[in-house]
Amino acid sequence: MKRALSIFVVITIFISVFTSYNLLKGKESKDDNEKATNNKPITLTMYSQDPNGDEDGFQNPVAKEITKATGVTLKIRYPVGNVAEDISLMIASKEYPDLVFSKGEQLNQLVSASSLIDLTPLIDKFGPNIKKLYGNYMNRNKYSINDKSIYTLGSSAVTSGKLEPVMGFELQHAVVKELGYPKIETVKDFENAIFTYKQKHPTINGKKTIGLSLIASEWRWNIGIGNGAGFATGAPDDGNWYIDPVTFDAVYRFTRSSEKEYYRWLNHMNSINLIDPDSFVQKYDQYLAKIADGNVLGLIDAKWDYSGGENKLNVDKSYERTYGMYPVQLDKSTTSADFREYGYSGGWGFGITANSEHKEDAMKFIDWMSSDTAQILNNWGIEGINYKTINGKREITDEEWEKRNNDENYPRETGVGVYSYPFPSRGIGKKDSSGQFYIPSNAQNIMKNYNPVEKEVLSAYGKAMWRDFYPASKDLPASSWGMGFMINIPSDSDIALIMQKCTYVMEKGTIKAIMAKPSEFDGIWDNLMKELEENEVDKMNKHFTKLVKERVEMWK
């Protein structure tokens, strides 16, 4: 939006922004590059492929502070049905919002259709905070070695230091306590713990005890059924790829013999009635409700995926029914790679559409969202309400921590954490110029906020945090390509179509293999591998290997 501004208006803007800045930052150190984006209110429209918790139309307290500082109100639309259909309709009609957050195939389709602009010129002109936030990682926002435009920003945090595991095998604290805190290192250890406890306690709170419940609903198949096989066989989170850390050769993960043996184990678990029979038909809300009931002994899932059910247990003080997270492996020949260092992965994020009439305003808004002021607001909340500043240090009360950790409505009601994803964000463990963390989740706060039984279990195992069960980042090879699943695949390439076909084969096939009679497992698996071959999985591996090596070269 281009308009002439009188000197008087410019001075008025400066005074207004300076006042808003001080209200937000309090005694925090100033960043001279931080400024509001507009001299009058403006609404920017946005489509987000993932929901982020903005359920009240940008009306929560944090959103209002953002509007106060920038003049911007976001009008965010989320998928109602099929994401692919939404993006295809946008492209066909050429009717776009100002901003689009997309990932994977949908992002590649938008780039192919010239729906997103190259942000580089606008970043150079209006992006001092963006440049500061990304620093040496700015190069990783480029689309590919052949197209070095920056179409998107955000999605993954910059230089994120991980404090807690993301993926693992979860066991209720009641199980390990009763069994005398056994080692939970292999799938056999995990199985024995569930079997023994279930035999002793066929019911919990009047409901039939469930040994292991899995989630396979829609895209969550990737998390609940797919990722466990990679995790338990020492693979880092590269999605459905396994990438050799030395040669950078990539293969479709499920073709590895070790992953076949993981699914054989799940088949065995099903044959001895330790897997919840509803696992492959239940919806996500049903899955969370079961967890909240407290009668599910084990899970194989990501923390962010099952925490909604676990939070209810914490609120009810059913602490013994909450979960510990263990780096279980198929056998002792591998170790968990959950704490592998990825740096900033780039690849996915949100961009400005070619049809937007507010490109400069949108970029100025993104730049403000990258500022220290915005990072602190989005992660800590509003000073005097969500945190206090005492002797120059931000502090959160015990009562507020209780709400943050266990009240599922906290993000919606406060706005805290809602606008970190998918916008540009600092990683856990990063400090601002005052030496304080941008994100309040540091090791001390995490340990402080463990529930009483959690602390008891950790102490019995001689651990201070759940990460202490896992191999540390320093003991794992760092990734040279970020996260494999975030590597952009051109929508018109062979890989995109082959991947769709192979994913369809494995989504249906793994469930069939798990539910089959053990004597039928090998035959089913051999047929799955044959189907993958028929769908040109080898060709896909070669093409994706090329993309991995190109990314490594570009990132140098």
Side-chain angles (χ1 to χ4, degrees):
M1 184 182 295
K2 298 181 180 178
R3 57 169 76 84
L5 295 176
S6 68
I7 294 175
F8 172 79
V9 174
V10 172
I11 293 173
T12 302
I13 294 171
F14 177 80
I15 294 172
S16 173
V17 174
F18 185 77
T19 303
S20 297
Y21 171 83
N22 280 305
L23 284 171
L24 285 172
K25 284 284 281 181
K27 296 180 181 179
E28 301 296 330
S29 60
K30 299 181 179 67
D31 181 337
D32 292 336
N33 289 324
E34 293 170 7
K35 56 188 176 182
T37 61
N38 302 286
N39 67 318
K40 64 180 182 180
I42 183 173
T43 296
L44 294 177
T45 56
M46 177 174 173
Y47 177 86
S48 179
Q49 189 167 333
D50 288 341
N52 67 342
D54 179 77
E55 300 175 6
D56 298 316
F58 216 65
Q59 293 301 306
N60 61 60
V62 166
K64 289 179 179 179
E65 288 296 317
I66 293 172
T67 300
K68 186 189 299 183
T70 66
V72 171
T73 297
L74 280 181
K75 186 177 181 181
I76 307 176
R77 183 170 73 86
Y78 302 103
V80 176
N82 188 289
V83 173
E85 290 178 1
D86 284 350
I87 299 298
S88 295
L89 183 60
M90 283 184 205
I91 293 171
S93 66
K94 298 190 182 301
E95 294 182 2
Y96 301 98
D98 297 300
L99 301 165
V100 173
F101 167 60
S102 56
K103 57 187 184 180
E105 183 182 350
Q106 281 68 51
L107 168 60
N108 298 322
Q109 287 175 343
L110 289 166
V111 170
S112 180
S114 301
S115 305
L116 302 175
I117 66 168
D118 179 6
L119 302 176
T120 307
L122 289 175
I123 293 172
D124 288 340
K125 191 173 182 180
F126 301 112
N129 292 305
I130 292 171
K131 291 181 178 180
K132 176 183 173 183
L133 189 150
Y134 287 103
N136 294 333
Y137 285 111
M138 182 62 77
N139 188 49
R140 296 192 175 192
N141 287 307
K142 294 177 180 178
Y143 185 71
S144 71
I145 198 167
N146 297 317
D147 182 354
K148 296 184 179 179
S149 302
I150 296 176
Y151 295 112
T152 60
L153 296 169
S155 185
S156 61
V158 179
T159 58
S160 181
K162 207 158 139 186
L163 297 176
E164 290 281 76
V166 172
M167 185 74 195
F169 284 56
E170 294 80 36
L171 268 180
Q172 283 189 349
H173 301 315
V175 174
V176 296
K177 282 184 65 176
E178 179 155 330
L179 301 183
Y181 305 103
K183 287 184 178 181
I184 307 295
E185 297 176 344
T186 66
V187 294
K188 199 63 182 175
D189 297 334
F190 186 71
E191 173 189 332
N192 289 341
I194 290 174
F195 178 83
T196 304
Y197 190 89
K198 189 171 182 285
Q199 288 287 97
K200 290 184 177 181
H201 303 277
T203 62
I204 296 173
N205 299 328
K207 294 192 174 185
K208 185 177 180 180
T209 302
I210 296 171
L212 171 65
S213 192
L214 305 171
I215 181 67
S217 178
E218 297 177 333
W219 62 267
R220 283 188 166 84
W221 172 88
N222 291 287
I223 312 302
I225 306 298
N227 280 4
F231 177 88
T233 53
D237 190 4
D238 282 313
N240 291 336
W241 300 99
Y242 178 80
I243 302 170
D244 187 293
V246 177
T247 66
F248 309 130
D249 290 333
V251 295
Y252 193 54
R253 252 199 319 104
F254 304 102
T255 61
R256 299 162 69 223
S257 59
S258 58
E259 300 210 13
K260 173 185 177 181
E261 295 310 308
Y262 172 80
Y263 288 108
R264 187 193 301 278
W265 171 72
L266 282 183
N267 170 271
H268 160 72
M269 289 285 282
N270 187 65
S271 72
I272 60 174
N273 300 315
L274 288 186
I275 291 184
D276 177 7
D278 294 335
S279 289
F280 308 112
V281 294
Q282 64 188 344
K283 299 299 183 184
Y284 183 53
D285 57 347
Q286 296 171 317
Y287 173 70
L288 293 183
K290 283 182 181 177
I291 293 170
D293 283 341
N295 61 317
V296 179
L297 303 182
L299 307 169
I300 304 172
D301 203 354
K303 179 75 172 179
W304 54 263
D305 200 40
Y306 70 82
S307 60
E310 187 180 47
N311 288 345
K312 178 67 164 53
L313 294 168
N314 276 310
V315 170
D316 294 342
K317 300 191 184 306
S318 298
Y319 301 130
E320 75 284 355
R321 298 298 168 194
T322 61
Y323 298 88
M325 186 175 275
Y326 302 90
V328 169
Q329 298 292 289
L330 186 65
D331 56 47
K332 294 186 178 181
S333 67
T334 58
T335 57
S336 165
D338 195 65
F339 279 82
R340 162 176 268 192
E341 179 57 54
Y342 297 96
Y344 170 65
S345 281
W348 297 353
F350 71 101
I352 299 173
T353 62
N355 288 10
S356 172
E357 297 179 357
H358 308 292
K359 293 181 179 68
E360 290 188 2
D361 295 289
M363 178 52 67
K364 291 176 184 177
F365 174 73
I366 297 168
D367 187 65
W368 187 87
M369 291 293 283
S370 303
S371 70
D372 280 8
T373 295
Q375 296 294 305
I376 293 165
L377 171 65
N378 284 323
N379 289 299
W380 287 80
I382 301 170
E383 184 178 5
I385 298 175
N386 307 114
Y387 73 94
K388 299 177 182 178
T389 301
I390 300 175
N391 297 325
K393 300 293 182 182
R394 295 186 290 273
E395 295 187 11
I396 296 174
T397 64
D398 290 345
E399 180 182 3
E400 192 72 12
W401 270 120
E402 175 68 23
K403 294 177 184 176
R404 288 177 72 111
N405 289 333
N406 299 317
D407 185 352
E408 62 182 15
N409 293 318
Y410 186 86
R412 181 178 62 80
E413 293 174 352
T414 65
V416 175
V418 170
Y419 307 106
S420 296
Y421 179 85
F423 297 96
S425 60
R426 299 279 186 177
I428 290 174
K430 293 297 293 181
K431 294 181 179 180
D432 63 19
S433 58
S434 71
Q436 300 179 76
F437 294 104
Y438 285 104
I439 299 175
S441 294
N442 55 63
Q444 291 72 26
N445 285 333
I446 288 172
M447 289 187 285
K448 177 182 176 182
N449 287 291
Y450 286 144
N451 70 51
V453 176
E454 201 169 9
K455 292 176 181 177
E456 181 184 343
V457 170
L458 285 166
S459 177
Y461 277 112
K463 311 291 185 184
M465 301 176 69
W466 292 107
R467 71 176 179 183
D468 297 337
F469 284 95
Y470 288 66
S473 295
K474 64 181 179 61
D475 298 322
L476 299 166
S479 172
S480 304
W481 57 85
M483 292 181 169
F485 63 86
M486 295 181 76
I487 293 176
N488 294 314
I489 300 173
S491 61
D492 58 352
S493 74
D494 292 334
I495 302 178
L497 181 58
I498 296 173
M499 174 66 91
Q500 286 181 1
K501 294 177 180 178
C502 290
T503 300
Y504 179 81
V505 168
M506 294 312 297
E507 283 182 356
K508 306 298 180 185
T510 50
I511 293 173
K512 182 179 180 181
I514 293 168
M515 298 181 69
K517 295 178 181 179
S519 60
E520 298 172 345
F521 177 83
D522 281 315
I524 291 172
W525 196 264
D526 289 345
N527 285 334
L528 287 179
M529 296 303 103
K530 185 178 179 181
E531 283 190 69
L532 292 181
E533 289 177 12
E534 291 172 350
N535 283 292
E536 300 183 291
V537 68
D538 290 337
K539 181 179 181 180
M540 178 176 71
N541 290 341
K542 290 176 183 177
H543 282 208
F544 193 75
T545 294
K546 182 174 181 287
L547 292 179
V548 173
K549 292 180 177 179
E550 287 178 349
R551 173 175 270 206
V552 172
E553 182 63 29
M554 182 175 71
W555 282 10
K556 284 182 180 179

